[in-house]
Amino acid sequence: MSSRLPAQGVPAVPDPVRRPSRRRLLRHATAGAGALLATGPLSGCASPASASGASALSVWDLFQGGDGMLMDDMIEAVSKGADGARGFEIDRTILDWGPSYYTKLAMSAAGGRASDVAALHLSRLAGYAPGGLLDAFDLDLLAEFGVTSTDFTPAVWSRTQHEGTVYAIPLDVHPFIVFYDKKAAEKAGLLDPSGELAPMGSPEALLEAGKALAEATGESGVLFGHVTDTAQNWRLFAGLYAQTGAEFSLPDGGPPKIDVDAAVRVVTLMTRLFDGKTNPDNLDYNGALAAFTSGRGGMAMLGEWELPTLKKSGIELGAAPFPQVFDKPAVYTDSHSFVLPHQDSPDPARRREAHRYVAQILKQSLTWAGAGHIPAYQPVLAEPEYAALDPQSSYADAAKVAVLDPPNWFAGAGSNFQNRMCQPLQSALLGNTSAQKAVRQMVREADTLLRQPNPVA
């Protein structure tokens, strides 16, 4: 891949040359089901055992670049039998992130002959579990392999279920957080006695922090890339809106239940913060990233997945959960999770191995934390090795107040819903419309989506 796709929640850097013997990379540019059919049969849509023999467990995911290499290491560890456990033979297929991945996953599951295990953003679960595209996890079987519901934060575990049945097991939490230049933040008086970012507590405190950082750097205070982006504005809005404590739900058939006054408060704060003076209002994603890594801003609002890139900048880097400025703590997040794509006649022994594989990979997620992701499996967070990770351990508490997209079939990572929410927000930040008009447009867009039938219901 030659370009960054920030909506992924995973850095899209060039795919590594290194390959385990059973790692396969499939690239398809098609995004719609019709175009997908025109590409011909997909190898992953065949019998899960057909590619490499009945003994190999087939796994689909979308982890490329640095994340792909970390997943290589985790799979290698469990394949060899980590911690004395019996090993695995894994046939891993990597597909490009985006709508095409979810189309392929849906089609393979609809055919009932999908992979044994697949990766899914937890925010997309509502588009898959209700339509019978996923099979449920056996929690007793997972417990036999050392993983139970108590190993996850309630905020994340609550989103693994449909109608009380668990269809996803989280691997990580990847929140939208703040990175900051520690030297600039110290000069601006924003650090607590331990050298971490001090709480803010109010919209005015956040605005003042931006001004203080701008003065400390001699350039910009807070950097945020949103122009032509299909997710960034929504991430910022959704996290701040959740902090107000107001309801944002999208019941089937509509109308949306959105507190317009609370939404206007949030958008107004966004436009005040990114005023084009103290903090620029017209940066795209890569522009904001470049400005921060070159020292032209004191703080950047980004996903934690940018940590490997930022560490290379030479900045004395700090990170923190997104500051609480309204009534309650909340951080916008998503979660890479493992699912069992539907199979018409799953082999009980293979299904058991799939559960064992998920449990073993979770226990390797200290490796996964190297890219910045917060392990969803809480026992890993209690390890001294995780506490020593800097700055990862500084924002681990974001998992406790995680807020995901509304649980609707059309929402979630890489969705048209996020894109349609971002467009009116971009207009407001660029000064082309008012906060009130932007919110009214968001409500109309949500109502339009609610009136569309779920194609896999």
Side-chain angles (χ1 to χ4, degrees), residues 253 409-410 448-457:
W409 67 266
F410 52 76
T448 298
L449 289 168
L450 283 168
R451 297 178 189 279
Q452 296 177 359
N454 184 344
V456 296

Side-chain angles (χ1 to χ4, degrees), residues 33-48:
L36 177 63
L37 289 171
T39 68
L42 295 172
S43 62
C45 295
S47 170

Side-chain angles (χ1 to χ4, degrees), residues 90-338:
I90 304 298
D91 178 24
R92 180 184 177 205
T93 300
I94 308 162
L95 298 105
D96 274 344
W97 149 258
S100 62
Y101 175 81
Y102 285 108
T103 299
K104 294 177 181 72
L105 183 61
M107 291 182 67
S108 66
R113 296 173 67 81
S115 61
D116 293 304
V117 180
L120 181 94
H121 284 86
L122 199 55
S123 62
R124 299 296 295 254
L125 186 68
Y128 287 77
L133 298 177
L134 304 177
D135 292 336
F137 276 91
D138 183 331
L139 298 188
D140 291 335
L141 195 52
L142 274 177
E144 181 180 334
F145 299 127
V147 175
T148 71
S149 62
T150 60
D151 293 323
F152 304 88
T153 66
V156 176
W157 186 255
S158 65
R159 292 296 301 268
T160 66
Q161 301 163 54
H162 170 64
E163 295 183 346
T165 299
V166 173
Y167 287 92
I169 303 299
L171 169 64
D172 65 31
V173 178
H174 48 266
F176 185 73
I177 64 172
V178 292
F179 290 100
Y180 56 93
D181 182 327
K182 283 191 172 183
K183 291 183 179 178
E186 182 179 23
K187 187 175 180 181
L190 300 179
L191 302 184
D192 65 17
S194 68
E196 301 292 332
L197 190 68
M200 294 188 184
S202 71
E204 291 301 325
L206 179 59
L207 295 170
E208 288 303 315
K211 293 176 182 177
L213 286 168
E215 184 175 341
T217 63
E219 296 199 46
S220 296
V222 183
L223 301 167
F224 174 61
H226 71 98
V227 176
T228 71
D229 193 274
T230 58
Q232 282 285 89
N233 278 318
W234 169 249
R235 291 171 179 146
L236 178 56
F237 170 86
L240 287 170
Y241 183 92
Q243 290 186 7
T244 69
E247 180 181 15
F248 192 113
S249 62
L250 305 175
D252 291 342
K257 295 182 178 179
I258 301 171
D259 186 323
V260 171
D261 290 339
V264 169
R265 283 176 64 202
V266 169
V267 179
T268 299
L269 173 59
M270 291 169 62
T271 59
R272 292 181 65 198
L273 181 62
F274 299 105
D275 57 1
K277 298 174 184 176
T278 302
N279 310 309
D281 63 352
N282 60 350
L283 296 176
D284 64 12
Y285 191 93
N286 289 327
L289 195 62
F292 184 65
T293 56
S294 61
R296 290 180 281 129
M299 178 180 288
M301 295 178 172
L302 293 163
E304 49 72 27
W305 52 89
E306 294 296 350
L307 178 61
T309 297
L310 299 181
K311 277 196 165 185
K312 297 175 184 177
S313 68
I315 293 171
E316 189 176 341
L317 188 66
F322 198 93
Q324 178 187 346
V325 298
F326 287 116
D327 301 329
K328 57 181 287 188
V331 178
Y332 178 78
T333 70
D334 208 334
S335 167
H336 294 116
S337 62
F338 293 115

